[in-house]
């Protein structure tokens, strides 16, 4: 294990290089090359490659058990200068999620000697997470399977996320006969119909749902009551609910002349609390004098796609304040990155021990 | 080791090497936290599963 200073220097070097390679969705190739070069020159993996969509995959180890540390290398758009101020590094993706990605990349390398004979370890930097998640879907489509997956997202460095809400993109279209704007009582505007439908949808969905309007197109500002209105909304779906509840609420919200389509749907996801991975991360944090907590997220991540398809044991964990994600204030301290790197390394060792003891007790 | 669920009173299997701060979900649905109890450990209901923002 390197000294604290050496680990800090390595994290700073990796984070600076990765943040300097601006990589909004669909423009990840330079950042992938930078990370690949860093891994090959500074870390201890046996294989580093990219797949057909541009995901980076580094691996080492052998044995019948496997774990994938899965982060994403794309960011939301909006270039930010990379700045190092004292113990903090700032830049686009420092929090979401190049900080967690570099901490895990280095942390997994640190665990190599202790786990390489009992565990196959994969570090995967996905493309497209801030877009259509084509990087994650590529893993699903080619049939990848791992015993355990850690999603590398910011969870404050102590939160172990076991639950994400689902997400649906819905388009509501309303039509009306038109009419003079001086007499809206005679006819209803398509715009007003849209507002009625969304209000009914909000009250019809149960606790834990949320509805965010993302686009409205309605009328032309002239003297005719708008004949057509289109509204796009994003609905987040809590654990315990699903497509059926959403579809029912939408159907019951409709008024005459209105219809809807659901263009995308990702179900909510929840992992088992009594899983080897939750236990391994909790134990590693406790040993690092960090008090771990269980968390559920209001958002949606690649965990929603990978849980049940690529692995049955998936949680999210990573350094960084999640409230800074997607803001121009993205920054993370090297202390947070160091603790997280040690936590990832220690979690792999704990996981090997937990699996070994489980086998002995059977 | 076998401890008692403080909510339903039924037994809970806890790994012998469990550390204070670890969590276990019991069959009754309660999420339990391992806490210090003198030289040993006991279980108490977890205060809460934290709600967190974003992805």
């Amino acid at each position: 294990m390197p000294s604290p200073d050496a680990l800090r220097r390595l994290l700073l070097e990796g984070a600076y290089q990765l943040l300097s390679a601006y990589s909004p969705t669909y423009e990840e190739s330079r950042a992938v090359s930078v990370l690949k070069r860093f891994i090959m020159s500074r870390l201890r993996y046996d294989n580093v490659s990219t797949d057909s969509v541009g995901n980076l995959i580094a691996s080492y180890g052998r044995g019948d058990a496997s774990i994938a540390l899965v982060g994403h290398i794309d960011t939301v758009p909006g270039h930010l200068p990379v700045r190092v101020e004292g113990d903090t590094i700032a830049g686009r993706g420092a929090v979401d999620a190049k900080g967690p990605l570099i901490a895990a990349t280095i942390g997994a390398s640190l665990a190599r000697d202790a786990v390489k004979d009992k565990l196959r370890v994969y570090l995967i930097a996905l493309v497209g997470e801030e877009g259509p998640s084509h990087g994650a879907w590529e893993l699903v489509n080619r049939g990848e399977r791992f015993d355990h997956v850690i999603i590398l997202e910011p969870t404050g460095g102590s939160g172990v996320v076991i639950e994400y809400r689902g997400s649906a993109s819905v388009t509501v279209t309303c039509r009306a006969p038109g009419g003079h704007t001086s007499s809206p009582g005679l006819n209803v505007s398509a715009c007003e119909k849209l507002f009625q439908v969304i209000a009914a949808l909000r009250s019809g969905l149960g606790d834990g749902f949320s509805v965010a309007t993302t686009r409205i197109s309605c009328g032309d500002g002239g003297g005719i009551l708008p004949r057509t209105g289109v509204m796009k909304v994003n609905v987040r779906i809590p654990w315990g609910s699903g497509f059926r509840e959403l579809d029912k609420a939408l159907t019951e919200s409709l008024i005459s002349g209105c219809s809807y389509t659901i263009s995308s749907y990702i179900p909510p996801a929840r992992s088992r609390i009594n899983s080897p991975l939750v236990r391994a991360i909790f134990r590693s944090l406790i040993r690092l004098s960090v008090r771990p907590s269980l968390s559920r997220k209001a958002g949606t991540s690649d965990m929603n796609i990978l849980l049940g398809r690529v692995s049955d044991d998936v949680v999210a964990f990573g350094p960084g304040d999640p409230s800074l994600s997607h803001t121009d204030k993205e920054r993370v301290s090297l202390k947070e990155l160091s603790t997280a790197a040690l936590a990832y390394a220690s979690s792999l060792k704990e996981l090997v021990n937990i699996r070994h003891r489980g086998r002995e007790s059977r | 080791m076998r401890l008692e669920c403080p909510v339903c009173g039924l037994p809970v299997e806890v790994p012998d090497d469990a550390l204070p701060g670890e969590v276990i979900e019991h069959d009754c649905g309660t999420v339990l936290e391992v806490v210090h109890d003198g030289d040993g450990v006991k279980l108490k209901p977890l205060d809460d599963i934290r709600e967190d923002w974003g992805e």
Side-chain angles (χ1 to χ4, degrees):
Chain A
M1 206 55 80
S3 70
D5 275 352
L7 176 57
R8 185 181 177 282
R9 283 196 299 273
L10 188 61
L11 282 160
L12 178 57
E13 179 187 339
Y16 193 91
Q17 289 181 18
L18 199 52
L19 293 181
S20 298
Y22 176 58
S23 55
T25 308
Y26 296 116
E27 297 175 34
E28 300 99 337
S29 61
R30 191 164 71 86
V32 168
S33 297
V34 165
L35 183 59
K36 187 175 182 180
R37 200 162 49 241
F38 179 75
I39 289 171
M40 292 174 72
S41 63
R42 307 288 276 125
L43 304 180
R44 302 176 62 213
Y45 289 81
D46 291 336
N47 303 295
V48 190
S49 62
T50 52
D51 66 14
S52 61
V53 298
N55 296 323
L56 178 145
I57 300 157
S59 62
Y60 69 78
R62 60 197 174 94
D64 57 2
S66 62
I67 184 168
L69 296 94
V70 180
H72 63 92
I73 200 160
D74 66 318
T75 67
V76 291
H79 180 265
L80 296 173
V82 182
R83 293 194 320 272
V84 179
E85 294 170 350
D87 188 52
T88 298
I89 185 163
R92 176 61 67 210
V95 171
D96 188 5
K98 290 180 174 178
L101 177 61
I102 199 67
T105 306
I106 291 171
S109 176
L110 296 178
R112 179 190 166 101
D113 288 344
V115 305
K116 67 180 169 52
D117 293 328
K118 294 169 184 157
L119 190 64
R120 285 176 285 124
V121 177
Y122 298 84
L123 181 287
I124 303 178
L126 296 176
V127 297
E129 195 269 354
E130 302 291 1
S133 288
H134 47 285
W137 282 112
E138 170 61 18
L139 299 187
V140 174
N141 293 337
R142 68 167 182 255
E144 294 279 7
R145 287 292 297 182
F146 304 101
D147 293 298
H148 314 278
V149 168
I150 303 177
I151 301 288
L152 313 174
E153 288 280 2
T155 66
S158 61
V160 178
V161 178
I162 56 159
E163 186 178 314
Y164 279 89
R165 291 198 297 178
S167 177
S169 298
V170 180
T171 302
V172 178
T173 304
C174 290
R175 298 187 194 288
H180 200 288
T181 50
S182 67
S183 306
L186 295 177
N187 287 300
V188 179
S189 147
C191 307
E192 299 295 339
K193 285 187 172 185
L194 285 177
F195 299 146
Q196 285 179 45
V197 171
I198 296 305
L201 178 63
R202 283 207 169 95
S203 63
L205 291 168
D207 288 343
F209 282 88
S210 64
V211 180
T213 304
T214 56
R215 188 171 187 181
I216 302 174
S217 171
C218 187
D220 59 6
I224 301 174
L225 288 171
R227 293 189 172 94
T228 303
V230 179
M231 183 180 278
K232 290 182 182 289
V233 295
N234 177 259
V235 182
R236 298 295 169 129
I237 302 132
W239 175 252
S241 299
F243 190 90
R244 188 187 305 175
E245 287 80 4
L246 172 64
D247 196 51
K248 181 171 181 285
L250 279 163
T251 302
E252 291 174 353
S253 302
L254 291 182
I255 55 178
S256 171
C258 296
S259 61
Y260 68 89
T261 57
I262 300 174
S263 57
S264 73
Y265 172 76
I266 298 172
R270 187 177 195 194
S271 290
R272 287 186 310 119
I273 293 171
N274 294 349
S275 81
L277 192 52
V278 169
R279 185 159 193 241
I281 299 174
F282 261 66
R283 288 175 69 82
S284 76
L285 289 171
I286 292 166
R287 290 188 194 282
L288 289 165
S289 301
V290 175
R291 181 173 166 73
S293 63
L294 286 178
S295 298
R296 59 168 65 98
K297 288 274 200 177
T300 305
S301 82
D302 281 342
M303 177 166 155
N304 297 65
I305 295 169
L306 302 181
L307 181 61
R309 295 183 175 96
V310 164
S311 177
D312 296 325
D313 189 13
V314 185
V315 300
F317 165 73
D321 177 353
S323 70
L324 299 179
S325 299
H326 297 198
T327 73
D328 290 350
K329 295 177 181 171
E330 284 200 71
R331 60 184 60 238
V332 66
S333 75
L334 292 168
K335 183 172 185 297
E336 287 175 272
L337 294 181
S338 295
T339 303
L342 294 173
Y344 289 122
S346 174
S347 295
L348 299 187
K349 298 175 200 171
E350 292 283 353
L351 187 63
V352 166
N353 291 336
I354 289 165
R355 290 184 62 96
H356 183 65
R357 283 196 295 272
R359 195 172 295 141
E360 276 184 336
S361 66
R362 279 202 291 271
Chain B
M1 67 184 125
R2 183 170 285 194
L3 301 177
E4 185 178 281
C5 174
V7 175
C8 72
L10 292 173
V12 186
E13 286 297 335
V14 178
D16 289 340
D17 61 350
L19 298 170
E22 285 192 47
V23 291
I24 295 168
E25 184 168 22
H26 189 222
D27 295 342
C28 70
T30 308
V31 181
L32 301 164
E33 181 180 4
V34 178
V35 294
H36 282 292
D37 183 29
D39 291 337
V41 294
K42 65 178 182 180
L43 297 170
K44 80 173 186 66
L46 184 70
D47 292 337
D48 202 7
I49 297 180
R50 202 173 72 191
E51 301 279 346
D52 212 347
W53 184 92
E55 295 166 349

